[in-house]
Amino acid sequence: MRTDTPSVDTGPPCAAVRRGRPRSEAAEQAILTAVEDLMADGNTLSELTIEGIATAAGVGKATIYRRWPNKEALLVDVVGRLEEPIPAPTGRGAREDLIAMVDYIRRRGLAKRTRWVLKAALGQMHTLPELYGAYRERVVKPRREIGLRLIREAVAEGVIRDDVDVELLGDLLMGPILYRTILSEDSDLEDPDLSRRMVDTVLDGLAPRR
């Protein structure tokens, strides 16, 4: 059931900065939940409007604009909230942290298969260039930077040779699990040891010569 009709959002250009008076956590929670509920009711990302979201949340449009500059910024936050949180450092070294990062992607793939709203949101983003660009900048890029930082730490710890291309190695480490979660949706992601085997297979070939 749709609660509003498609329209062009006229909010300011997409940006990550939030402005205005101190936030009410209850209002913010109501807004985020309203977007999830509207999507669960069958509304697509393009059909959602600030007016419809405000009505569903029981707040005024100004309440939304005080927290998000436009619809795109709000939707990025909603999708980010639906996903698994980025893993904290394990405290057991760069190799274990890399395994945790790959396992984060594995669990994200499982969540996408089992949570219809998340799967629909990620799938529809590719048809909305501005929204997808904001998502890549605010969600995808920071996660990639974390992965590259972990690789640099592994080099510093002597786990990886110091003559490797860090960005290329990032693709080699993250590429297989991304392939299984995005391009091969029937692949087996249930194995909790999959991430460790993937990372060890790559790193064992990149270890410094003893």
Side-chain angles (χ1 to χ4, degrees):
M1 178 180 66
R2 296 177 183 170
T3 60
D4 59 333
T5 56
S7 66
V8 177
D9 194 312
T10 57
C14 187
V17 178
R18 298 181 184 178
R19 311 182 297 272
R21 293 178 290 181
R23 293 183 243 170
S24 161
E25 293 300 327
E28 184 163 309
Q29 180 65 37
I31 293 164
L32 294 170
T33 299
V35 175
E36 293 181 34
D37 289 345
L38 287 168
M39 290 188 63
D41 284 344
N43 291 272
T44 66
L45 294 179
S46 60
E47 290 171 337
L48 294 176
T49 65
I50 292 295
E51 181 178 7
I53 294 167
T55 299
V59 301
K61 290 192 293 183
T63 301
I64 295 178
Y65 282 126
R66 279 197 295 270
R67 293 158 174 77
W68 295 275
N70 58 17
K71 184 180 81 171
E72 286 74 20
L74 167 56
L75 294 181
V76 167
D77 273 3
V78 171
V79 177
R81 189 175 79 140
L82 288 170
E83 296 192 359
E84 287 264 351
I86 300 175
T90 64
R92 299 193 300 272
R95 191 182 195 111
E96 292 297 325
D97 286 343
L98 281 169
I99 292 169
M101 193 65 186
V102 172
D103 202 56
Y104 157 78
I105 300 174
R106 181 186 69 85
R107 296 193 312 272
R108 180 177 179 268
L110 284 173
K112 182 182 174 184
R113 292 181 185 179
T114 59
R115 300 184 65 182
W116 179 87
V117 172
L118 177 58
K119 182 175 183 177
L122 293 174
Q124 293 167 24
M125 275 192 181
H126 293 277
T127 66
L128 303 168
E130 185 175 0
L131 177 58
Y132 186 58
Y135 176 77
R136 284 181 58 85
E137 187 66 24
R138 292 179 51 196
V139 178
V140 176
K141 185 176 178 180
R143 285 158 170 74
R144 176 170 173 78
E145 287 302 317
I146 290 173
L148 296 180
R149 174 174 56 78
L150 294 176
I151 291 172
R152 294 186 185 99
E153 290 176 3
V155 172
E157 290 180 12
V159 175
I160 298 174
R161 300 197 318 262
D162 60 6
D163 61 342
V164 299
D165 181 323
V166 170
E167 299 241 352
L168 178 59
L169 180 52
D171 293 339
L172 290 172
L173 281 168
M174 304 302 171
I177 194 67
L178 285 171
Y179 170 80
R180 290 199 179 199
T181 60
I182 297 174
L183 298 179
S184 182
E185 293 198 352
D186 60 347
S187 62
D188 179 20
L189 296 177
E190 301 288 346
D191 181 4
D193 198 47
L194 176 63
S195 303
R196 180 176 299 278
R197 290 192 291 111
M198 282 186 167
V199 171
D200 283 348
T201 297
V202 175
L203 295 192
D204 285 347
L206 290 166
R209 292 185 178 87
R210 303 299 181 188

